[in-house]
Amino acid sequence: QVQLVESGGGSVQAGGSLRLSCEASRYTRAMGWFRHTPGKEREGVATLPSGGIAPVYADSVKGRFTISRDIAKNALYLQMSSLNPEDTAMYYCAGSDIWIPGLKEASFPYWGQGTRVIVSA
């Protein structure tokens, strides 16, 4: 099992930035960020394996969000810029011992409790 703890959420005005962090209890091959808005399905935002392989981003965040990892700290980050109200959601950190390229929720068996991001117009 893996415990994942997110932090860094909050309220920000449109155009602003936030940095989310996730601490894992141990190393996992792949990690990712997902988000959920009430009334919608949870969607993949960005995923990243270890080993220098390129990350995968949702089209809606490309050029605005950057995912990164600190393997030594078992940490995952999401730098979010140019935020807009459509980015308002609960953001979840996820981990997997297997890397399956893509943004599918089913590829990640380990999940954190989430951190809320609110972007006001």
Side-chain angles (χ1 to χ4, degrees):
Q1 268 293 353
V2 180
Q3 283 71 52
L4 300 167
V5 180
E6 303 95 335
S7 61
S11 297
V12 63
Q13 289 190 326
S17 299
L18 279 175
R19 187 187 192 222
L20 305 183
S21 299
C22 173
E23 292 187 16
S25 58
R26 65 165 175 85
Y27 167 81
T28 56
R29 177 76 171 91
M31 298 187 78
W33 290 100
F34 292 74
R35 64 186 182 186
H36 179 249
T37 302
K40 298 183 179 179
E41 293 186 357
R42 188 156 55 182
E43 64 169 340
V45 174
T47 58
L48 177 67
S50 59
I53 299 173
V56 179
Y57 289 100
D59 288 343
S60 58
V61 306
K62 282 181 181 177
R64 301 188 300 121
F65 291 10
T66 301
I67 188 172
S68 61
R69 295 182 66 171
D70 186 330
I71 301 297
K73 296 181 179 180
N74 292 331
L76 180 72
Y77 307 101
L78 185 68
Q79 179 66 48
M80 305 186 294
S81 303
S82 301
L83 285 161
N84 59 62
E86 289 69 39
D87 296 315
T88 295
M90 185 72 84
Y91 283 73
Y92 297 89
C93 175
S96 174
D97 294 315
I98 300 171
W99 167 239
I100 300 174
L103 298 168
K104 292 186 177 181
E105 182 177 345
S107 298
F108 292 84
Y110 311 125
W111 292 85
Q113 295 299 306
T115 185
R116 189 173 301 279
V117 172
I118 300 172
V119 184
S120 57

